[in-house]
Amino acid sequence: MIVQNLTTSKSVENLLGLILALGNYMNGGTTRGQADGFSLEILAKLKDVKSKDNSVSLLQYVVAQYVRKYDPDAGTDRTQLPIPEPSDISQASLVNFEDLEQELKKAQTSLEKCRQHIERVVRESTLETTEPFKTNMTKFIDKAEIDLNEQKNSLLDAQKRFHQCTIYFAVKPKPGEGPFLNPKDFFGLWSVFCQEFKDLWKREQQRIMKEKVDTAQRRVKQLQEEKKTALTTTPKTKSGLKAKLASRGMI
């Protein structure tokens, strides 16, 4: 589940720690330079902080520093995006717990109506005509009840994990929006950042890959030049019968 990824991933932890360290460095000498954390609203603003010549954004610098410090597989097919996929963030933001609860309540009501209808049919039927209808429908209702309870438990677990995630990142709902934050608002804090980070991360990976290829090509060329030089400077050794006789002083 994506909330588990955000709260337990070492790569996410390293990335947020790097952002915090850079923020404290930039704010050194001020009261904001000793922060123990930062609000997630900051993530979407990293791209707006520029260098003096406006050539590099803080987000670009964060990506480059993260790859250099924490990605030993940079520039290879083994490297992995350190944050959740933007598409997964977008999907998670569409979850509406209230709508899901209403759907489960409707399913429970429909199931109860179905059960009552089956019981009425059985009551109004003779003993000879109730089977196999009664047995089959009883199995169906029992199975549906189990499945529905599993869905209810899954929803409760998802809600619990999500609320724990919001507490972990100290994100609270705005005044007047109720006691709990909804997924749309929480994941909205990550959405833009994850997409922009991924774009820059891919660009950085391509740059490093090209750099490695160029280095390898230069090394191959250097070895070829050294081999060529060695061949042209090595004196030729005389051979043949005449050379052998001369070496023995016979001619």
Side-chain angles (χ1 to χ4, degrees), residues 89-121:
I89 293 289
S90 297
Q91 287 296 317
S93 68
L94 299 177
V95 174
N96 188 309
F97 291 125
E98 293 182 357
D99 287 349
L100 293 175
E101 287 176 350
Q102 291 301 317
E103 289 298 323
L104 290 178
K105 286 180 180 179
K106 290 179 181 179
Q108 183 69 60
T109 300
S110 297
L111 185 60
E112 289 301 322
K113 289 181 179 180
C114 185
R115 186 194 301 276
Q116 293 170 7
H117 180 69
I118 293 170
E119 292 173 349
R120 186 174 67 254
V121 171

Side-chain angles (χ1 to χ4, degrees), residues 42-151:
I42 294 297
L43 296 178
K45 301 177 181 179
L46 295 178
K47 68 181 187 302
D48 300 323
V49 180
K50 306 285 186 177
S51 59
K52 288 184 178 181
D53 59 1
N54 288 324
S55 62
V56 180
S57 71
L58 180 55
L59 182 57
Q60 287 175 289
Y61 186 76
V62 167
V63 172
Q65 288 300 305
Y66 178 88
V67 171
R68 182 186 66 82
K69 188 173 182 180
Y70 295 111
D71 191 354
D73 296 322
T76 73
D77 56 3
R78 297 186 303 275
T79 188
Q80 294 184 341
L81 183 68
I83 57 175
E85 283 287 345
S87 58
D88 293 339
I89 293 289
S90 297
Q91 287 296 317
S93 68
L94 299 177
V95 174
N96 188 309
F97 291 125
E98 293 182 357
D99 287 349
L100 293 175
E101 287 176 350
Q102 291 301 317
E103 289 298 323
L104 290 178
K105 286 180 180 179
K106 290 179 181 179
Q108 183 69 60
T109 300
S110 297
L111 185 60
E112 289 301 322
K113 289 181 179 180
C114 185
R115 186 194 301 276
Q116 293 170 7
H117 180 69
I118 293 170
E119 292 173 349
R120 186 174 67 254
V121 171
V122 171
R123 285 196 309 269
E124 296 175 354
S125 302
T126 62
L127 184 61
E128 292 79 8
T129 60
T130 56
E131 295 296 346
F133 174 81
K134 179 180 178 181
T135 299
N136 291 338
M137 294 309 296
T138 298
K139 290 181 179 179
F140 169 78
I141 291 296
D142 291 344
K143 178 65 166 56
E145 189 73 42
I146 292 174
D147 291 343
L148 184 58
N149 286 332
E150 288 179 353
Q151 292 297 319

